[in-house]
Amino acid sequence: MTTGFPKNFMWGGAVAANQCEGAYLEGGKGINATDVLVGIIAEGTHPSIKWNEETKRYEPCYNPDKVYLSHDAVDFYHRYKEDLELMAGMGFNAFRTSISWARIFPNGDEVEPNEEGLKFYDDLFSEMRRLGMEPVITLSHYETPLHLLTEYGGWANEKMIDFWLRYVETVFTRYKDLVKCWLTFNEINNLFRIPFAAGAMLDINPSDVNEPISGLTIKQKYQGAHYVFVANAKTVELCHKIIPDAQIGCMLSLSHIVSYPYSCNPEDVFGAMQFQRNHYLWSDVMCRGEYPAYIHRIWEENNCKPIIKEGDLEVIKNNPCQFIAFSYYMSAVFKDGVGMAAGTGGAKGAKNPYLTMYSPEPWTWPVDPKGLRYLCNVLTDRYRLPLFIVENGIGLDDQANENGEYIDTFRMEYIKMHLSEIKEAIHDGCDIMGYLYWGPFDIVSAGTGEMKKRYGFVHIDRNNDGTGTLKRTKKKSYEYYKKVIASNGEDL
Ligand code: P53
């Protein structure tokens, strides 16, 4: 029985290329899906694209009244050495970021990769290693080249599998000595909810050109999901072939699994289970290697069974993920007849009377540390696989006091409460690989596209209107997290 954090526990933080790098047109990079969004939830169904009657294609068309903060973000592209030094100062032994696919294949369908993009990540990953951090690399964090959506319809099209595998083979081969821990698709269980970004899908023959996403049918979405499952399995296979000593996992947004029945009314209990299954589906397929029993009725009743080619199920069966990486921010409740959404942009639906809503309006969400222990336990019961918490954190509107200090007390409390429950989960028998705090330096919010909603231990001077010096300043939580890591989680 293990009590306390294991010796080889991975301590660190996580970001995504599109939320921190900026330099969105530098180094030969192409436009990707998130470049034409202000925020994923805020603008999810209205990307900044316009239909061109002549070419019969969508093209980027930025709204002059909006600020696309991700285009410059916090300039990690040029300042990563300074930022990684700061992270090393807290004792990080792991750091998660993503490769922006459009830096490697700007349009996604080229045969030859962009050397400048490859070189950037060579330098970045080498710097992480030099500082003693294990690179944990997400292959796709909402960064699909836009051209693959506008030209092919993205994952609604089977051709995506080959474009994806060319990209994956390129980066596995290039970074095989530097990167030994890979994540496939970030929060892929958001594909249905956020089809443009998380699903990288677009209707290329729209009936209404002003609604490029809402035209997607449920059938197209399940077909896209199937292509993603095949691609995921083939990625796992390639990883084992090219980097035999690497580990590869799936990545899911699992606040959703912690959707408690609102009451003991069987309608609430059964409804909560059905809701959770929308999210379990992804790990059931990617980790157990087969479609679960409950999917067949869903396919039949919604007439949305995907075309499954000969050999697909075998590939999926033979190449399960080795661990489950996930994000966890909050919990939710399922009440029969009440719509719900657990989201970092602000929780909707029935409220849990036992939990307090934290973080400022409009992003309030119910903080639920014990929900994380619950989640680790249900995942362990269901899969018996190692778990990797690769996102957890709190977005606050941090303001400097009169001395220019950021005293982010609630962030420290939030971390302490969650780490205490992780410790309990380890004691319960869960195999937990590590804890990566989300946004260890301030970055652009994925959900709402703001800078104002900050997660960092390091403040970065950039504002919602795009102004700011980009100066980096440690907050109080910086010293706290440093102490936690130095004590291997004993001193919370
Ligand atoms: P922010 C919702 C929408 C988009 C991304 O979220 C999300 C979620 C939560 O399920 O998930 C992750 O920035 C995501 C990160 C993101 C983080 O949540 O909206 O993987 O990219 O930044 C926090 O506050």
Side-chain angles (χ1 to χ4, degrees):
M1 190 173 68
T2 318
T3 58
F5 293 91
K7 282 210 169 55
N8 58 352
F9 197 75
M10 286 197 263
W11 291 103
V15 296
N18 72 89
Q19 291 172 257
C20 67
E21 284 178 7
Y24 89 116
L25 292 177
E26 280 180 58
K29 178 182 161 297
I31 303 285
N32 67 38
T34 35
D35 291 333
V36 295
L37 293 170
V38 172
I40 288 172
I41 297 191
E43 311 282 315
T45 50
H46 294 285
S48 298
I49 51 178
K50 188 178 83 222
W51 182 255
N52 181 328
E53 245 330 298
E54 272 164 38
T55 60
K56 300 280 181 213
R57 300 272 187 286
Y58 283 103
E59 292 168 352
C61 171
Y62 300 103
N63 184 335
D65 299 329
K66 291 184 176 167
V67 186
Y68 296 80
L69 287 173
S70 67
H71 289 181
D72 301 308
V74 295
D75 200 30
F76 185 71
Y77 187 77
H78 297 109
R79 297 171 196 238
Y80 69 84
K81 288 195 174 153
E82 177 187 355
D83 291 330
L84 291 178
E85 285 280 355
L86 280 161
M87 300 302 110
M90 279 182 280
F92 280 25
N93 61 18
F95 186 79
R96 170 182 177 224
T97 188
S98 60
I99 297 175
S100 180
W101 183 353
R103 286 202 189 281
I104 312 299
F105 289 99
N107 281 327
D109 57 359
E110 296 90 342
V111 176
E112 292 303 321
N114 169 34
E115 177 54 32
E116 219 180 327
L118 285 168
K119 174 83 173 59
F120 170 69
Y121 291 106
D122 252 331
D123 295 346
L124 179 68
F125 302 156
S126 303
E127 185 66 6
M128 288 182 204
R129 285 244 170 255
R130 190 184 73 76
L131 293 165
M133 296 179 217
E134 185 74 36
V136 177
I137 302 305
T138 317
L139 287 162
S140 170
H141 196 123
Y142 309 150
E143 289 134 350
T144 309
L146 183 68
H147 177 77
L148 294 181
L149 279 81
T150 56
E151 181 69 27
Y152 302 94
W155 284 103
N157 187 331
E158 190 182 3
K159 287 195 177 121
M160 276 297 275
I161 301 177
D162 288 335
F163 298 138
W164 166 261
L165 290 174
R166 188 181 302 156
Y167 157 65
V168 166
E169 185 165 3
T170 303
V171 297
F172 281 166
T173 307
R174 178 78 170 219
Y175 308 121
K176 64 180 189 305
D177 296 325
L178 285 170
V179 182
K180 305 289 184 183
C181 189
W182 295 91
L183 310 179
T184 53
F185 299 91
N186 182 65
E187 295 195 335
I188 190 61
N189 56 317
N190 281 333
L191 181 145
F192 290 86
R193 194 165 63 108
I194 318 172
F196 186 77
M201 285 189 187
L202 186 65
D203 189 357
I204 48 171
N205 296 306
S207 48
D208 176 355
V209 296
N210 296 315
E211 295 293 347
I213 297 160
S214 47
L216 287 170
T217 63
I218 180 128
K219 199 175 173 120
Q220 281 172 309
K221 290 181 190 172
Y222 271 100
Q223 188 66 59
H226 181 69
Y227 294 143
V228 167
F229 289 142
V230 172
N232 188 79
K234 291 189 172 179
T235 303
V236 172
E237 188 175 30
L238 264 181
C239 183
H240 292 326
K241 205 168 98 198
I242 300 173
I243 327 175
D245 59 341
Q247 295 202 72
I248 184 158
C250 55
M251 195 300 187
L252 302 166
S253 169
L254 290 188
S255 300
H256 307 285
I257 296 293
V258 194
S259 46
Y260 308 112
Y262 185 76
S263 74
C264 51
N265 176 350
E267 297 302 329
D268 286 348
V269 176
F270 198 82
M273 182 180 73
Q274 295 286 60
F275 178 83
Q276 290 161 4
R277 281 175 166 174
N278 294 328
H279 300 284
Y280 275 131
L281 169 67
W282 305 81
S283 38
D284 283 351
V285 177
M286 295 191 285
C287 298
R288 290 168 156 171
E290 54 191 43
Y291 276 104
Y294 56 78
I295 196 68
H296 301 282
R297 180 168 181 175
I298 296 172
W299 284 342
E300 195 190 291
E301 290 183 350
N302 298 286
N303 185 26
C304 64
K305 182 172 191 224
I307 297 163
I308 298 178
K309 283 197 174 166
E310 212 192 313
D312 284 0
L313 295 179
E314 209 183 333
V315 168
I316 292 172
K317 184 76 201 168
N318 292 338
N319 297 287
C321 285
Q322 293 169 286
F323 63 87
I324 304 172
F326 63 88
S327 64
Y328 175 78
Y329 292 93
M330 72 198 80
S331 64
V333 284
F334 181 89
K335 188 174 184 193
D336 189 38
V338 179
M340 68 182 280
T344 50
K348 294 182 187 69
K351 298 230 176 336
N352 187 332
Y354 301 98
L355 298 176
T356 313
M357 302 293 279
Y358 280 99
S359 118
E361 290 281 357
W363 327 299
T364 49
W365 69 59
V367 170
D368 179 11
K370 191 147 200 172
L372 180 53
R373 178 177 175 189
Y374 168 82
L375 174 60
C376 291
N377 275 279
V378 295
L379 292 173
T380 300
D381 288 352
R382 197 173 181 118
Y383 302 109
R384 292 306 294 263
L385 283 176
L387 307 175
F388 195 176
I389 299 152
V390 298
E391 287 186 30
N392 174 245
I394 187 91
L396 302 169
D397 182 8
D398 298 312
Q399 301 286 344
N401 65 15
E402 61 278 12
N403 302 320
E405 302 157 329
Y406 295 92
I407 311 294
D408 49 343
T409 314
F410 185 65
R411 181 164 295 111
M412 297 186 273
E413 265 173 53
Y414 181 94
I415 295 171
K416 179 185 174 145
M417 294 189 289
H418 285 81
L419 286 175
S420 303
E421 295 296 339
I422 294 170
K423 214 167 165 176
E424 295 298 326
I426 293 170
H427 201 161
D428 294 334
C430 303
D431 178 1
I432 303 184
M433 297 162 63
Y435 176 83
L436 306 182
Y437 179 84
W438 178 254
F441 47 87
D442 292 347
I443 56 178
V444 179
S445 149
T448 61
E450 297 179 77
M451 273 307 301
K452 193 179 168 73
K453 182 185 185 190
R454 301 168 181 281
Y455 288 78
F457 304 123
V458 171
H459 179 271
I460 298 187
D461 180 25
R462 190 156 196 240
N463 307 307
N464 273 5
D465 63 2
T467 60
T469 62
L470 293 174
K471 182 170 177 259
R472 274 68 171 154
T473 308
K474 292 175 189 171
K475 302 179 198 172
K476 185 148 190 242
S477 56
Y478 184 96
E479 295 306 326
Y480 171 72
Y481 197 47
K482 183 176 173 174
K483 180 190 79 171
V484 168
I485 297 176
S487 67
N488 200 34
E490 287 310 309
D491 190 2
L492 292 177

